[in-house]
Amino acid sequence: MEFLNRNRELQQLDQFLRREKPVFIVIYGRRRCGKSRLIQQVLQKGDVYFKADRQAPALQREQLVQTIADNLDVPYDATFRSWESLLIDLNRILKPSQTLAIDEFPYLLKNDPALTSILQRLIDGHKLHYNLIICGSSQNTMSRMVQSGNEPLYGRADVIIKIRPLAAGWIQEGLQLSPEESIREYAVWGGIPRYWELRNEYKDLATALLHLFFSRDAILLDEPLRLLSDDLRSAVQPYTILTMIGQGVHRPSEIAARLEKSLSGLADSFQKLIELGFIRREIPFGESIRSSKRTLYKIDDPMMAFYFRFVLPNKQRIEMGLGEQALSQVLLHLDEYVAGEWEYLCRMALPLLEIQGKQWDIASRWWGTGKDGKETELDGIALSIDKTHILFSEAKWTQKSNPVTALMQLNNSINNCRKFADATVVKLLCNRVAVPCSDDMMVVLPSDILKVLK
């Protein structure tokens, strides 16, 4: 699959690597997001890329020496007893314009915790005469290492780049799909380029799901646990929280009750999962995140949402060789799941869409007791930046959506919820397929949503 987007990161790296003085660059982000590919895009002839593993430090240094000799085609067969002596000696081998990139840096750090102090000393003493890039998939380790005030490398990096999943709009180009198919596939794979590459090896979504999730030796069968293990000492409680959210338990008080824990006892796990990008906190539109007591937690990563909704409950059947049987049942309910992801993507797109010539603020859901005493929910609400208009949206993922019925439902929900502002009401239908629109309601389609989510 071709290298997609990352233009901002490429320009940033190119800008720093062109400087006359040596630079220290830190790149991190969750596994399979394309960090290694990004580094290889910017490295030039004469630069060195080294991927660390879990071996002892002495063996790692031997491998780095061998990698340099092979890459640069120079005689280099020295043995070093410390990282400091090796990194200093590289000043003889590498020119000031050349770059050493060390991938999976946390593996080196785990075996030799003094490495950050060594780098601090070398950087502060201007003893490295070449560019140094370090990269890692442990978001917790990498971010703390350079952003925590009591860490040796705090304030030493010339630039820190966090690699995030690709926005939804890129999946259509990556997988060469129609807009509708792109939404469905994004709801499964999310924005992780490696998952897209794996998916591309199969003729259709069902076949990919069978081989990547619903087979005993499937490469993604234990993916969430691997991702959590990258950043957490113990994944048990966070994994359990994700399991419960994936099965429809969204209120923190209910999660705590089922786990027989206090909310304060779960606070660290909730916060860590948010920081890692695995869950998000939702509150109703118009309420303050500090004071609202109506919090819901949702899984924020589509692959994990799919996994905990469909794969984990069927894991025993998969391990018994009944994955194909389990998948056949999953496919019957897939569009029901995609509808929830479609609704969220539509909310994310609202501030980027041009609707009635207005700029819109970030959109949120609203739920609560309506004027009629019944529970009411609105898929998306956003105020215009100038506060003169308020937008209400309805997201539909059905082949047989009736715009007249959708408008009637939206009007009923708007009238039934409390009034948010003295503003002109705008109504929007986010629909899976094209339908006739009326003067009272605009319609946007998957192609419109994907176009702005890039």
Side-chain angles (χ1 to χ4, degrees):
M1 192 175 74
E2 67 175 297
F3 188 76
L4 296 171
N5 195 20
R6 305 302 188 199
N7 294 325
R8 182 184 65 82
E9 292 89 348
L10 287 170
Q11 290 172 3
Q12 199 172 16
L13 287 170
D14 184 64
Q15 173 191 347
F16 277 89
L17 291 174
R18 285 177 180 272
R19 290 187 176 184
E20 293 183 2
K21 67 172 187 175
V23 294
F24 174 45
I25 296 172
V26 176
I27 300 173
Y28 73 100
R30 62 170 281 185
R31 192 171 299 281
R32 305 185 194 271
C33 264
K35 301 180 298 298
S36 303
R37 185 94 176 265
L38 173 68
I39 292 172
Q40 291 164 8
Q41 290 288 123
V42 298
L43 293 184
Q44 307 285 328
K45 184 178 180 181
D47 295 333
V48 177
Y49 172 82
F50 174 69
K51 190 165 188 176
D53 56 31
R54 299 176 188 271
Q55 293 187 82
L59 296 177
Q60 293 278 23
R61 289 192 289 271
E62 286 181 18
Q63 285 191 349
L64 176 53
V65 168
Q66 186 61 50
T67 299
I68 291 168
D70 293 343
N71 282 17
L72 303 184
D73 194 22
V74 296
Y76 195 47
D77 193 23
T79 299
F80 297 92
R81 300 184 64 181
S82 72
W83 284 108
E84 184 168 7
S85 60
L86 170 54
L87 293 170
I88 290 176
D89 192 69
L90 288 180
N91 290 321
R92 296 190 305 107
I93 308 297
L94 299 175
K95 299 175 182 177
S97 61
Q98 289 177 289
T99 300
L100 169 63
I102 301 177
D103 204 350
E104 296 299 354
F105 182 79
Y107 290 160
L108 301 185
L109 195 60
K110 187 173 183 179
N111 289 330
D112 194 345
L115 189 49
T116 53
S117 296
I118 292 170
L119 284 177
Q120 176 199 23
R121 187 161 57 250
L122 297 178
I123 292 169
D124 290 353
H126 305 287
K127 294 182 179 180
L128 295 182
H129 303 158
Y130 49 87
N131 301 316
L132 177 63
I133 298 175
I134 62 173
C135 177
S137 298
S138 175
Q139 300 182 72
N140 185 46
T141 298
M142 294 295 292
S143 61
R144 184 182 68 246
M145 182 177 65
V146 291
Q147 294 178 330
S148 175
N150 58 359
E151 291 291 325
L153 289 178
Y154 175 74
R156 268 70 185 182
D158 292 282
V159 61
I160 302 169
I161 300 176
K162 180 177 181 179
I163 304 301
R164 294 173 172 81
L166 288 171
W170 290 104
I171 197 169
Q172 184 176 5
E173 186 175 336
L175 298 182
Q176 297 295 304
L177 300 170
S178 70
E180 181 181 331
E181 290 171 326
S182 297
I183 296 293
R184 182 181 288 105
E185 300 249 2
Y186 184 84
V188 175
W189 313 114
I192 308 303
R194 179 55 181 156
Y195 300 158
W196 299 0
E197 289 181 336
L198 293 170
R199 158 64 182 93
N200 250 345
E201 296 176 7
Y202 301 96
K203 63 178 182 178
D204 54 36
L205 177 59
T207 306
L209 290 175
L210 177 62
H211 288 280
L212 297 176
F213 281 116
F214 288 87
S215 299
R216 276 184 286 198
D217 299 320
I219 193 172
L220 300 180
L221 185 55
D222 294 306
E223 182 75 353
L225 191 57
R226 283 194 290 267
L227 292 173
L228 292 172
S229 298
D230 279 340
D231 285 285
L232 303 171
R233 290 183 180 179
S234 173
V236 175
Q237 186 163 284
Y239 191 87
T240 305
I241 290 172
L242 286 166
T243 300
M244 299 187 72
I245 296 174
Q247 295 303 301
V249 183
H250 300 293
R251 299 182 187 278
S253 57
E254 187 176 353
I255 294 172
R258 293 199 183 190
L259 293 179
E260 298 182 346
K261 300 267 189 179
S262 66
L263 277 175
S264 60
L266 297 179
D268 286 346
S269 291
F270 281 130
Q271 185 58 37
K272 183 56 65 178
L273 287 169
I274 290 173
E275 290 172 2
L276 294 175
F278 296 149
I279 67 172
R280 65 178 180 268
R281 181 185 179 190
E282 292 187 354
I283 59 170
F285 177 86
E287 296 192 8
S288 168
I289 196 166
R290 293 183 178 181
S291 59
S292 178
K293 296 181 179 180
R294 294 198 292 160
T295 292
L296 298 179
Y297 285 105
K298 296 291 185 74
I299 297 181
D300 202 30
D301 177 84
M303 184 282 295
M304 282 202 167
F306 177 85
Y307 182 92
F308 286 102
R309 170 78 176 269
F310 294 120
V311 181
L312 185 61
N314 285 297
K315 196 169 182 183
Q316 187 173 356
R317 296 169 73 188
I318 294 169
E319 291 173 344
M320 290 176 61
L322 300 174
E324 194 166 356
Q325 180 189 92
L327 178 59
S328 66
Q329 295 301 306
V330 168
L331 293 174
L332 295 175
H333 301 282
L334 185 60
D335 271 342
E336 174 190 323
Y337 160 76
V338 173
E341 296 298 314
W342 166 242
E343 179 188 314
Y344 179 69
L345 287 176
C346 293
R347 278 201 300 278
M348 294 302 99
L350 288 183
L352 306 171
L353 292 167
E354 186 174 333
I355 302 170
Q356 293 198 353
K358 292 290 181 181
Q359 290 183 311
W360 300 92
D361 206 342
I362 295 172
S364 303
R365 287 195 308 138
W366 184 85
W367 64 91
T369 304
K371 295 176 183 177
D372 61 1
K374 298 179 181 178
E375 286 297 307
T376 299
E377 180 177 334
L378 286 154
D379 292 342
I381 307 176
L383 273 174
S384 62
I385 297 298
D386 61 10
K387 312 296 184 187
T388 61
H389 289 64
I390 186 168
L391 173 68
F392 294 91
S393 71
E394 180 83 4
K396 294 290 187 184
W397 191 258
T398 172
Q399 290 279 20
K400 300 179 180 180
S401 177
N402 185 325
V404 175
T405 303
L407 178 58
M408 185 181 304
Q409 291 174 346
L410 185 56
N411 282 332
N412 289 339
S413 297
I414 293 171
N415 293 332
N416 196 33
C417 76
R418 59 188 177 85
K419 194 173 184 180
F420 294 106
D422 294 321
T424 302
V425 171
V426 178
K427 300 164 192 173
L428 182 71
L429 174 62
C430 303
N431 209 54
R432 174 177 171 180
V433 295
V435 292
C437 58
S438 66
D439 293 338
D440 201 24
M441 182 172 63
M442 297 179 59
V443 177
V444 295
L445 304 172
S447 57
D448 302 309
I449 299 299
L450 292 170
K451 184 178 179 180
V452 299
L453 289 181
K454 275 192 170 184

